[in-house]
Amino acid sequence: MATSTAVPLVVPPKLIATDLDGTLLRSDGTLSDRTRAALTAAERAGIRVVLVTGRPPRRVPELLATIGPHFVIAANGAAVYAPDGTLAHMSPIRPLAASRLVTRVRRALPGAAFAVEYDNGFGHEPAYPTWSFGEEAAEPVDTAGEYLTRIPGTPVLKILAHHPTLPLDDFYEGARRAAGSNAETTYSTGLSLVEFSAPRVTKATTLLAWSGRLGVGSDEIAAFGDMPNDLPMLTAVGHSYAMANGHPDVLRAARHRAPANDEDGVAQVLERFVDALVRLPDRHMPVSTVREFRRP
């Protein structure tokens, strides 16, 4: 798809959905003052903001403290959190399906090591790389299968896999084939990490379910992203923006291109949205009370 530079829409969107790492946040993980001000201005103008990230639930309190009180769709769509940090919805991987997934991927790609993100914690196999979780507390186990079965009833939101030698593209394709339709398979970094969610759980499915309950249609959403795990969201909304620093697949898929994250690209586009909204002769976008996302 041809990608145009970021331009203001004739009618600004009713909702902004933005990825975080490589998109809203700068490369050092910080939120610039300009971006913080742009988010505030957009919400004051009546444009809702939701943060849509691959980051796990254990990182949500930190995100809200850093970025401010917004709804958060976390773990690639597996969980939704309200602005006060309370859990609104979960879409976990079924325990048996999770165990079978690990077995299939390990059989197809010998040498893979696994980690498990659940609703309030994280565990990993000894061979899983420590650089992926840094200084955060995590529980090592002998095998992911052991971890998946040792705490019955604990919701598993995401499974991660790493391979020490395979290039990312080869590892991803092999993992995707091994998982088949039993999981959503994606990746969000340039490192050899592949991520699995429950079938049909993506940033897009959760975003559209949540926004639909607010009365916002997909054509009224502008989404920003930079990596393959953003592709379902970008292709599902009316106005998609790839960051200039984005993955080639994202740059090809999005309708528009925003400046790079280190240039406050999301903020630049939001400022234009707000300016266009102010200039509209008849504003039809009052700020509404945000309702909590619940499945019926």
Side-chain angles (χ1 to χ4, degrees), residues 23 56 64-65 77 80 97 134 140 150 152 165 176 198 201 267 271 282 293:
T23 301
L64 294 175
V80 182
R150 66 189 294 182
T165 59
R176 184 182 60 81
V201 174
E271 289 163 358
D282 184 16
F293 176 91

Side-chain angles (χ1 to χ4, degrees), residues 40-78:
T40 299
E43 291 203 318
R44 286 179 177 170
I47 303 174
R48 296 182 176 95
V49 174
V50 58
L51 310 177
V52 189
T53 179
R55 292 198 193 190
R58 58 195 166 89
R59 301 293 296 277
V60 169
E62 171 193 343
L63 292 177
L64 294 175
T66 300
I67 301 174
H70 304 284
F71 268 89
V72 179
I73 295 174
N76 289 330

Side-chain angles (χ1 to χ4, degrees), residues 11 18 46 57 76 115 120 130 141 149 151-152 183 211 220 225 266 285:
V11 178
T18 178
N76 289 330
N120 59 2
T130 57
V141 295
T149 58
I151 312 176
S211 61
E220 299 173 304
V266 174
M285 299 177 64

